[in-house]
Amino acid sequence: MEGSLRQSKSKATADESSSLKASDTVPLPVYLTNAFFFTVFFSVVYFLLLRWREKIRNSTPLHVVSLSDIAAMVTFVGSFIYLVGFFGIGFVQSIIIPEDDEDEFERLMVKEDSEKLPCAAAPKSDDLKIAKKIELTADDEEIIKSVVEGKIPSYALESKLGDCHRAAAIRREALQRITGKSLEGLPLEGLDYESILGQCCEMPVGYVQIPVGIAGPLLLDECEYSVPMATTEGCLVASTNRGCKAIYASGGATSSLYRDAMTRAPVVRFGSAKRAAELKHFLEDPLNFETLSLVFNSSSRFGRLQSIKCAVAGKNLYIRFSCSTGDAMGMNMVSKGVQNTLDFLSNQFPDMDVMGISGNYCSDKKPAAVNWIEGRGKSVVCEAVIQGDIVNKVLKTDVASLVELNMLKNLTGSAVAGALGGFNAHASNIVSAIYIATGQDPAQNIESSHCITMMEAVNDGKDLHVSVTMPCIEVGTVGGGTQLASQSACLNLLGVKGANKEAPGSNARLLATIVAGSVLAGELSLMSAIAAGQLVKSHMKYNRSNKDVANIKS
């Protein structure tokens, strides 16, 4: 073991000697080198100023220079370059690394990667052809020990080391030693940790693998889409795919987006209920809307205020702002606009106390009637007419059975249960799978899965009209997890990657309609499976491994 330790130390020494720092070009300590060039620089400047003053007094042209003048100017340029390129680096490092930690980290940090390649400037996922593999060195061992002992905070590893992948590896090992639990099976390699820094996840130690299946083609509004679904539930992709097949064979589905507005609702308090009501009247007065819009819209190129609705609760006022957000999901965008408006209102109503930027009247990531009624994000209705023979051949049931089951299950059954926006079979399944695959906020599945499924016999009872109405699909194609490589690839598959420069907001709206169309396919297939008595049989076939089945039989 001592031999291997010596080898690792000799290897680290060799690496250090092969990759010199900028300050190593002069064989002096950094502080002495900086002091030397600092003195030379100001000495030369003083000399040149004296020479130029002498030439001015003697009426000598400034362009006439002597050998000493040339030497002084060359020395000036050289010392200036050093001070900018060398002393400047040391100054920046002194800010990033506090004095009490500098000695410890100067010995532990990697010489090249940590100084030349901070996380923000690291190559993006497109440049990472092969995930780099980091083996823990003797220096890493000392850092891990410091993390375990609490001397170095785990959250500071990225900023201290300048290498996000190495920080994750060290944090992971420290966590295993602190907890005594193994993380074997949780992948570390293969993720671009720089891409999640500051926007997706803090203090990473790896990532979770979720398989992505493809359902489709989904024929929606005369276009075909292959829908990516990230899930660990067997049957889900296969069932949605069957629904897509039935829709395709019947000529496709059509969608309509009838509302597009993200919301944020702060809560403010006054000394009396009367004052709260006065602000409500002020905000909902059409004469004041233009002024409020100018204030709100000043915070973003794409955020545009659409409406303001208020609710009074005693001395408290809940103000629900609704605005368009382009191709972004828009929570940060609308929050900035709300903050601007509250600052403006504070001048008009100085007795107003802002209790919180969000008062749950929004309402985000919670089931709420206000979202079910007023909508939040994109509101979409999607419909299709499934031919009777397709219902029989593909879905293995009949129109009358589906219509009756939908009434008893999705409508009456949900009403008996006191459902809020849950008048459907399993909209949440499809929404969650697409959200995870495309980098949406999975927690917003709560309101995004609000859906009412309707089925009706048409054409003298021969065919089936099926629709889903979803008032709260909260999606974006820019920001958050949509920028990660895997999620970006799934968005690209759907043709909605990034922002649409020609028609801002159209990519996010298209994604919302695809979500609704996929839900339509999933509802159609699951309801058919239940009506035909296939649900248990299909799950036993696709949702259990061979090992589980063997255990059941035994």
Side-chain angles (χ1 to χ4, degrees):
M1 181 167 180
E2 291 179 358
S4 62
L5 182 59
R6 284 196 299 270
Q7 287 180 355
S8 64
K9 288 185 177 180
S10 63
K11 181 179 179 181
T13 304
D15 291 340
E16 291 176 4
S17 62
S18 64
S19 57
L20 296 175
K21 295 189 299 182
S23 58
D24 291 336
T25 55
V26 178
L28 290 172
V30 176
Y31 71 94
L32 290 180
T33 306
N34 288 338
F36 172 76
F37 278 95
F38 190 82
T39 303
V40 169
F41 175 78
F42 282 100
S43 298
V44 170
V45 169
Y46 181 71
F47 172 77
L48 289 174
L49 290 175
L50 290 178
R51 289 285 295 155
W52 290 340
R53 186 176 67 174
E54 182 180 347
K55 288 181 180 181
I56 292 172
R57 286 180 176 178
N58 297 331
S59 299
T60 304
L62 294 178
H63 65 272
V64 177
V65 294
S66 63
L67 185 62
S68 60
D69 292 337
I70 295 174
M73 285 188 286
V74 171
T75 305
F76 168 78
V77 172
S79 59
F80 178 77
I81 292 174
Y82 174 85
L83 290 176
V84 172
F86 291 73
F87 180 77
I89 291 175
F91 177 74
V92 172
Q93 289 175 341
S94 67
I95 296 176
I96 297 175
I97 303 177
E99 292 183 0
D100 55 347
D101 295 337
E102 189 171 8
D103 293 337
E104 181 180 5
F105 274 92
E106 187 178 60
R107 179 170 53 86
L108 300 179
M109 289 170 61
V110 173
K111 301 299 181 184
E112 184 173 6
D113 289 344
S114 62
E115 293 171 358
K116 292 186 177 181
L117 204 61
C119 295
K124 300 303 180 185
S125 57
D126 292 340
D127 300 324
L128 297 175
K129 303 301 181 183
I130 301 176
K132 58 181 179 178
K133 186 174 181 62
I134 295 181
E135 295 182 0
L136 297 177
T137 65
D139 286 346
D140 293 334
E141 288 293 337
E142 295 192 45
I143 298 177
I144 292 170
K145 183 179 179 181
S146 297
V147 173
V148 171
E149 294 175 351
K151 296 179 180 178
I152 302 175
S154 177
Y155 63 81
L157 288 173
E158 280 80 4
S159 61
K160 295 292 187 182
L161 299 177
D163 186 329
C164 296
H165 187 280
R166 181 170 176 242
I170 290 174
R171 180 182 295 111
R172 177 192 181 101
E173 181 60 27
L175 178 64
Q176 291 184 120
R177 297 183 187 183
I178 291 171
T179 62
K181 306 293 184 181
S182 173
L183 289 177
E184 183 180 359
L186 182 68
L188 175 67
E189 306 296 336
L191 178 65
D192 179 10
Y193 290 92
E194 280 77 14
S195 67
I196 69 174
L197 181 67
Q199 67 174 358
C200 290
C201 181
E202 297 76 42
M203 296 185 285
V205 294
Y207 59 97
V208 174
Q209 295 171 312
I210 302 179
V212 176
I214 298 297
L218 171 66
L219 183 56
L220 178 66
D221 299 324
E222 300 182 353
C223 295
E224 296 182 11
Y225 301 97
S226 296
V227 184
M229 301 175 66
T231 181
T232 57
E233 180 184 352
C235 278
L236 179 58
V237 178
S239 177
T240 307
N241 189 68
R242 184 174 75 149
C244 291
K245 181 179 179 181
I247 292 172
Y248 194 102
S250 297
T254 58
S255 67
S256 296
L257 189 145
Y258 59 92
R259 184 166 45 208
D260 182 5
M262 182 49 65
T263 64
R264 173 61 85 197
V267 53
V268 299
R269 174 178 290 177
F270 288 90
S272 67
K274 181 179 180 181
R275 286 291 288 165
E278 289 176 0
L279 177 56
K280 172 181 167 65
H281 292 313
F282 176 85
L283 291 171
E284 294 181 347
D285 188 342
L287 298 177
N288 298 324
F289 185 79
E290 183 177 354
T291 301
L292 294 171
S293 295
L294 291 174
V295 174
F296 185 98
N297 298 344
S298 64
S299 63
S300 171
R301 291 182 299 158
F302 302 107
R304 293 295 177 264
L305 184 64
Q306 293 183 1
S307 66
I308 302 175
K309 293 188 177 181
C310 302
V312 177
K315 299 186 296 181
N316 307 303
L317 183 67
Y318 295 82
I319 313 168
R320 195 172 195 257
F321 293 83
S322 300
C323 81
S324 59
T325 57
D327 283 306
M329 184 270 288
M331 284 300 299
N332 292 333
M333 191 182 300
V334 67
S335 294
K336 288 190 294 183
V338 167
Q339 187 61 59
N340 279 1
T341 308
L342 290 176
D343 294 340
F344 170 78
L345 292 174
S346 295
N347 296 325
Q348 306 294 319
F349 294 82
D351 56 335
M352 179 184 74
D353 290 329
V354 178
M355 306 307 296
I357 190 70
S358 175
N360 275 7
Y361 185 44
C362 312
S363 174
D364 187 41
K365 302 174 184 176
K366 292 166 284 291
V370 68
N371 290 339
W372 177 240
I373 297 170
E374 300 288 345
R376 189 170 195 259
K378 277 71 173 170
S379 299
V380 182
V381 59
C382 188
E383 63 182 340
V385 175
I386 310 300
Q387 299 169 6
D389 60 337
I390 301 300
V391 174
N392 296 327
K393 294 178 181 179
V394 177
L395 301 177
K396 310 300 182 184
T397 185
D398 58 82
V399 173
S401 297
L402 280 174
V403 172
E404 183 178 23
L405 178 63
N406 186 72
M407 181 194 66
L408 294 174
K409 172 181 167 61
N410 290 339
L411 304 182
T412 308
S414 296
V416 170
L420 177 59
F423 299 90
N424 58 81
H426 70 149
S428 177
N429 253 337
I430 292 88
V431 172
S432 296
I434 298 177
Y435 272 27
I436 295 172
T438 59
Q440 311 304 314
D441 189 337
Q444 289 186 321
N445 160 72
I446 294 175
E447 61 265 39
S448 295
S449 296
H450 282 352
C451 171
I452 182 168
T453 301
M454 305 291 290
M455 292 185 182
E456 178 184 353
V458 295
N459 300 329
D460 296 327
K462 297 179 181 179
D463 302 327
L464 175 72
H465 180 275
V466 56
S467 68
V468 292
T469 305
M470 306 179 68
C472 312
I473 302 179
E474 299 166 345
V475 293
T477 58
V478 295
T482 65
Q483 302 178 71
L484 301 181
S486 301
Q487 290 82 344
S488 180
C490 291
L491 289 170
N492 188 57
L493 177 66
L494 294 171
V496 296
K497 177 182 176 181
N500 191 310
K501 297 180 180 179
E502 298 178 356
S506 59
N507 280 358
R509 288 191 288 268
L510 177 55
L511 178 58
T513 62
I514 293 172
V515 171
S518 303
V519 169
L520 181 71
E523 291 287 281
L524 189 59
S525 183
L526 178 58
M527 291 294 290
S528 298
I530 297 174
Q534 299 170 336
L535 182 64
V536 175
K537 181 179 179 181
S538 61
H539 273 273
M540 290 299 294
K541 180 179 180 180
Y542 293 106
N543 205 25
R544 289 185 178 275
S545 67
N546 293 331
K547 183 178 180 180
D548 290 336
V549 174
N551 290 337
I552 291 173
K553 290 181 178 179
S554 62

